[in-house]
Structure formats: C-alpha cells, structure tokens
Amino acid sequence: MPPPLSSYGGCPIAPSSVIDGDGPRVALYTKEFAANPQRVYQELRARYGSLAPVEIAPGVPATLVVAYETAKRILHDPEHFPADPRTWQANVPLDCPVLPMLQWRPNAQRNTGAVHARLRSANTFAINGIDLHAAQVLAEKIAVRLINTFCAVGRADLLAQFVHPLVSEVLNTLVGCSPDIGARVAQGMAAIFDTSADAEDGNAILESALYEQTMHKIAEPGNDITTRMIAHSAKLTEEEVIHQLVVIYGAGIEPTVNLIVNTLRLMMTNDRFGGGMVSGSLSTGDALEELLFTDPPLANFCFSYPRQPIFIDGVWLPAHQPVLISMSACNNDPAVHSGDFIANRSHLAWGTGPHACPAKDLSSTIARAAIDQLLDALPEMELAVPVEDLQWRPGPYHRSLASLPVAFEPTPPMAV
C-alpha cells in the first residue's frame, strides 16, 4: 500500500508522528501552568518541536503551535486551517468550559472565506470610524478621575481600582453602551475567559446584554461602534451585530487590561524602564512593544480546525481538532528571538493574516494614555509585594494577573 498523501502540499510522506488525543498532554488551564508558562513552552518545544499536544480543558485535546514560522504559515492559510469550529463543536458536551469561548458565532472571528470577509468589513468600518486622538483624550480624562480616587491613600490595587474600570469605561463609550449593560458584558466575558464553571451562564449574560445594546442602538443611533455596524452596507442581521460586539468586547477588554497591567509590572521591575519609574531610559511605547513580544496579554489563541488530517512539520494533525497559536511561545522561539524589541513589530501578539486584530492601534492608544497618566501622577510608585508573590489567573488563553498591588507617597488629587 502506498504511503498516505499529505493534504498539505500533496506530497506522499509517511507520518513521523501523530497527534491524536490518546497520548499524554500538557494542561494549559492549571495554576501551575499559569505560574510559569515560558518554562512549559520551552519543554514542549524541546520534546515535540513546533507542534505540541495539550489540553485546553479537562478532556479537551488541542495542538499548540510553539514555533514562529509554523504559526505564520498556519495563520496565513485559512484554506487548510479554517476558523469555523462547527464540526468540532458538534461532538463537545454543552457544559464544556471552553465551549462559550470557542463555539461558532455569526461573526468574523469564527468564519472563513466570503462570510468572514463580509462580517470583517463591518467590523473594520466600525472601528476605523474611531478618532484615535479623541480616544486618547477620553482615556486620559478617565485615568485622572480614577487616580484621584486613590492617590491620597498611598496604596492601590491598580487592576481593580484603575486599569479594569478605565478600559471598560473607554470601550463602553466607544461602543455606545450604558454603564449597566457594560457591567453585565464585563461579567459575562470574565467568566468565559476564566473557563470557570460559570462560563455557560456568563455566555448567556453576555449575549443578553448585547441584545439589549443592539436593540437600543437600532432605536436610537449615535456616533459609536454599534451604530456604524448597523448602518454598514453589509446589512448585518440583529444576531450578527450581537456577535460582532462579542468580538469587540472580547478583544477589547481582557487583552487591553492585561496589556496595561503587565506592562506596568514590567516597568516597575526592570531597571531599563526605571524600576521606580523616574530614571528609566526607555519609554512607555518601548515597554509596550517589549511586553507584546515577551509576554503577550493574549498568550494562546487564534484557533483553527483542519478540515481533514493534515501533515505539517513532520506531524499529522487530526481533522477538526483545535489548533491554537501560542503567540507567547512563538514570539520567544529561539529561532527568531533576537532580544531586540525597539521598533520591532514582528511579534504575533495581534495575530497575522486574514484574522489579524483590526483594533491594535486603538488598544495601544488606550494603553499608552493610561500608563502615561499614571506615571505622571505617581512617578515613585512601586510594587507593594515581591514580584514573585504576584498571582496569575489560570486559563488557557490569557496572561493575566489577579491583582497588581502598589505603594507610593500619598499625593493630592489632580485638577480634572
């Protein structure tokens, strides 16, 4: 019998290994993984090469891509690696904790080809209508107001008291969403990202809140993301608008919050950025770019589902099983990692190819404005606990601290 034909390139190649779900897999959802993921990525690369067998939830197998060039090849090949999960989803229990995050939705993130192009055109139109300068000013004003609530105390949890409320309020304003609806959206999205037992309920809360938002903007249009989506020539249905907003919030809150918090941690613990924040030789922009390279806020994502068994890098990947890109592992791949982060944007933190993030400039603008306002107000700020005592939230997708406690000299509130 002749060797099987590779479905990737059409060459007759006998498989050197198979990733099939029966062998040992590394769990990406544990506290142990969250505490030191880079060590795990190094071990996976040393043992398996570019493609490693993992679990994204108990009993849910996937393949993790840990090599930079392989990731780029996959991300630019939606024909062989489509983003539509419906065949995989049909065999997943309804109570699976990762299902709310990965399930098919009528949005650009979970579709391929012409459907993806139509839905993405509405997304990019709505996002490109944002005035980045106005967004920066908005973020700065919110930052000052939030800083004034704790600057006279001398201590704060920057995640809970500053970063999360700032990003949520900015995004709610840009989407045209009321604080009440926005709070429910944040609650639902947090449950989905954490893959907790409440993920299914969180998804229901999320969709209900965004249904209200869509109905409100159909009745009362404004100058906001939701209105522009509704008005776009793609003529989205109400359901499609709801699920484009799921992507906007999913990509807008959690990754941007993590980007700001993790960059602040980097700047407070690395002498090149000043340590105490005053004497650093590198800028906020430099810190953000380095963080996106070395420890991206969305560490493992960009899911795809091969239509048929596929041979790549000496491994057969099974049909319809999730393949996810470890942006964190790929950015730190020794084959491409030079250690030069200044003005180097070859990282994969925003993805690449047809599903690359269309809001990267907006996220970076919000992050830079928030950090600069905070450092201007509290330049001597330091971590309130040893860096090794910081706790990381478990979960297969994000690189997220549970809190960021800081201490500083109490200072009077700033003029608003």
Side-chain angles (χ1 to χ4, degrees):
M1 179 181 294
L5 287 177
S6 165
S7 60
Y8 199 88
C11 301
I13 307 173
S16 58
S17 62
V18 178
I19 292 182
D20 61 8
D22 294 330
R25 291 177 176 269
V26 173
L28 302 186
Y29 50 84
T30 64
K31 290 182 179 180
E32 292 75 16
F33 171 76
N36 193 353
Q38 289 301 332
R39 177 184 61 80
V40 177
Y41 299 143
Q42 291 172 8
E43 292 174 355
L44 289 174
R45 189 182 295 110
R47 181 173 182 181
Y48 296 105
S50 61
L51 301 161
V54 297
E55 275 193 340
I56 52 178
V60 182
T63 298
L64 187 70
V65 182
V66 297
Y68 181 88
E69 292 298 338
T70 305
K72 285 183 62 179
R73 179 181 176 187
I74 289 172
L75 290 169
H76 284 279
D77 188 3
E79 177 62 29
H80 290 96
F81 294 91
D84 189 329
R86 279 177 283 191
T87 302
W88 167 80
Q89 180 179 329
N91 297 304
V92 174
L94 293 177
D95 61 352
C96 175
V98 296
L99 184 57
M101 176 65 83
L102 303 189
Q103 70 184 37
W104 181 83
R105 300 176 188 269
N107 60 28
Q109 189 177 56
R110 294 286 174 258
N111 285 278
T112 302
V115 175
H116 165 263
R118 170 178 165 268
L119 297 172
R120 185 177 172 93
S121 68
N123 275 338
T124 54
F125 173 77
I127 292 169
N128 291 343
I130 297 170
D131 182 331
L132 289 180
H133 176 69
Q136 174 185 329
V137 171
L138 173 64
E140 290 169 348
K141 288 181 177 179
I142 295 170
V144 170
R145 172 161 47 80
L146 291 170
I147 293 166
N148 283 348
T149 66
F150 57 76
C151 62
V153 178
R155 301 179 72 86
D157 174 4
L158 292 182
L159 175 60
Q161 295 175 253
F162 179 66
V163 181
H164 201 286
L166 182 148
V167 173
S168 295
E169 185 171 345
V170 170
L171 192 57
N172 286 341
T173 302
L174 297 177
V175 172
C177 197
S178 70
D180 171 64
I181 292 177
R184 288 154 53 204
V185 168
Q187 176 189 357
M189 194 61 71
I192 292 173
F193 263 96
D194 283 343
T195 63
S196 66
D198 298 326
E200 190 175 357
D201 291 339
N203 189 53
I205 292 170
L206 173 67
E207 293 186 13
S208 174
L210 292 177
Y211 171 79
E212 287 186 33
Q213 168 65 8
T214 301
M215 295 301 101
H216 172 63
K217 284 300 170 180
I218 289 174
E220 298 181 28
N223 180 19
D224 52 63
I225 287 173
T226 310
T227 299
R228 287 192 290 273
M229 279 189 180
I230 293 168
H232 187 253
S233 60
K235 298 188 182 304
L236 303 186
T237 66
E238 294 169 1
E239 183 185 22
E240 287 172 339
V241 173
I242 291 167
H243 289 283
Q244 306 325 299
L245 293 175
V246 170
V247 176
I248 294 291
Y249 272 103
I253 293 183
E254 181 84 19
T256 306
V257 166
N258 296 341
L259 175 60
I260 297 171
V261 169
N262 296 350
T263 300
L264 286 168
R265 175 190 55 82
L266 172 66
M267 297 178 80
M268 284 188 283
T269 57
N270 191 308
D271 289 341
R272 292 180 304 118
F273 300 101
M277 298 298 194
V278 173
S279 58
S281 60
L282 300 176
S283 69
T284 298
D286 295 330
L288 285 166
E289 286 301 319
E290 180 163 332
L291 192 283
L292 287 166
F293 242 112
T294 59
D295 206 9
L298 200 57
N300 306 303
F301 210 67
C302 301
F303 284 82
S304 61
Y305 307 82
R307 290 192 177 98
Q308 59 195 76
I310 192 165
F311 189 78
I312 181 170
D313 288 2
V315 172
W316 279 99
L317 301 180
H320 309 301
Q321 188 183 99
V323 175
L324 70 157
I325 306 297
S326 177
M327 285 81 83
S328 186
C330 293
N331 287 351
N332 290 283
D333 182 353
V336 298
H337 184 61
S338 68
D340 179 16
F341 311 112
I342 307 303
N344 184 347
R345 298 186 176 182
S346 62
H347 59 74
L348 299 177
W350 306 114
T352 187
H355 287 273
C357 176
K360 61 182 181 180
D361 292 337
L362 175 62
S363 184
S364 297
T365 296
I366 296 169
R368 188 176 291 108
I371 293 171
D372 283 343
Q373 286 298 311
L374 184 66
L375 301 191
D376 285 347
L378 305 171
E380 299 289 350
M381 179 177 59
E382 296 179 344
L383 281 178
V385 299
V387 64
E388 58 269 19
D389 289 347
L390 293 174
Q391 298 296 310
W392 296 94
R393 289 164 49 206
Y397 323 115
H398 53 226
R399 180 63 169 155
S400 176
L401 284 169
S403 65
L404 187 63
V406 295
F408 46 85
E409 284 293 320
T411 184
M414 296 176 285
V416 178

